[in-house]
Amino acid sequence: MKRRRAIGVLGGVAAGPVLMPSRTFAELLAWSERVRESSRSPGTPTLLTPPRARAMAALAEVIIPATDTPGASEAGVTEFVAALLVGWLDDDDRDVFLEGLDTVDPAARERFGADFADCAPEERIRLVADFDAEVTRLREDPDATASRHFFHHVKRFTITAYFTSEAGLAALGHRTSFRTFEGCVPLSPAEGGDSAGSRTPDGSAGGTIPPTGPS
């Protein structure tokens, strides 16, 4: 099974955990904690350069701004995405995401005269609305593929990162901590059944993504 099929779990939480089988949601939480844990080792490589990280953080804050609940930054969305990019994504998805992310600041400079993160809030909202409209147009075009647009990934990464974080779970009123679900994570592709393992860029074994269907 290709990793892009397994990575379909990303964004599944967007519909809300109440719509997901409890065990599937538990496995998603456990998997997300493994992604986060993979970034905590000293010397962990990153593909999010400072400009990319800054643009990603600003995009995520437009998608999930801080209100009476924490926003994307407080939930560590950018750190989650940085970890996700190393060893957890299909190469094509990673390339589409990074190539698109690199266009955000040039687009903002051309339109508003500043890097995206330095634009006024209303300017950032307008640019994000345009990205979102492009994804919507691709979804409605039978000859197009929305997943080939980087903002499709920005949205699903942000939503998944947020609603599997402590801040996001608290915003949902979810009382379960990550550690409760540690034992649910498949330790290898063989133990994961239909789950597919991922590999790091050097070919070593990466994480295993939980299945999306009911158990």
Side-chain angles (χ1 to χ4, degrees):
M1 180 186 296
K2 293 183 178 179
R3 279 179 291 163
R4 68 171 58 194
R5 180 177 172 189
I7 203 70
V9 70
L10 285 175
V13 74
V18 295
L19 300 182
M20 300 180 72
S22 59
R23 182 169 177 177
T24 300
F25 188 52
E27 290 172 345
L28 176 60
L29 292 179
W31 168 78
S32 70
E33 179 60 9
R34 288 189 64 184
V35 174
R36 290 179 170 91
E37 186 63 33
S38 71
S39 70
R40 295 171 188 149
S41 301
T44 300
T46 182
L47 295 173
L48 275 190
T49 61
R52 285 172 170 172
R54 195 163 180 257
M56 178 65 218
L59 288 166
E61 275 296 320
V62 173
I63 296 169
I64 305 180
T67 54
D68 55 339
T69 57
S73 294
E74 294 170 271
V77 167
T78 303
E79 293 79 4
F80 179 90
V81 172
L84 189 65
L85 289 169
V86 181
W88 298 90
L89 288 183
D90 180 281
D91 291 346
D92 288 345
D93 286 344
R94 184 181 63 240
D95 292 346
V96 166
F97 172 76
L98 289 175
E99 289 171 9
L101 191 61
D102 287 340
T103 69
V104 173
D105 281 340
R109 287 194 296 269
E110 180 178 354
R111 187 166 175 181
F112 300 116
D115 286 346
F116 183 76
D118 296 324
C119 290
E122 61 273 15
E123 293 171 339
R124 293 198 296 268
I125 290 172
R126 285 166 59 189
L127 198 54
V128 164
D130 287 347
F131 292 147
D132 200 36
E134 291 172 15
V135 173
T136 298
R137 178 184 59 78
L138 291 173
R139 289 198 185 106
E140 294 172 348
D141 184 347
D143 297 322
T145 305
S147 63
R148 300 305 298 173
H149 195 290
F150 87 100
F151 193 68
H152 165 81
H153 299 296
V154 169
K155 287 178 68 177
R156 68 184 186 133
F157 294 170
T158 298
I159 292 170
T160 300
Y162 185 81
F163 287 109
T164 58
S165 71
E166 292 184 9
L169 289 170
L172 288 173
H174 203 288
R175 297 186 179 87
T176 307
S177 66
F178 292 122
R179 295 190 183 277
T180 303
F181 300 112
E182 286 289 339
C184 296
V185 183
L187 300 179
S188 70
E191 291 176 41
D194 289 339
S195 299
S198 64
R199 290 189 174 272
T200 57
D202 65 2
S204 59
T208 299
I209 301 170
T212 58
S215 300

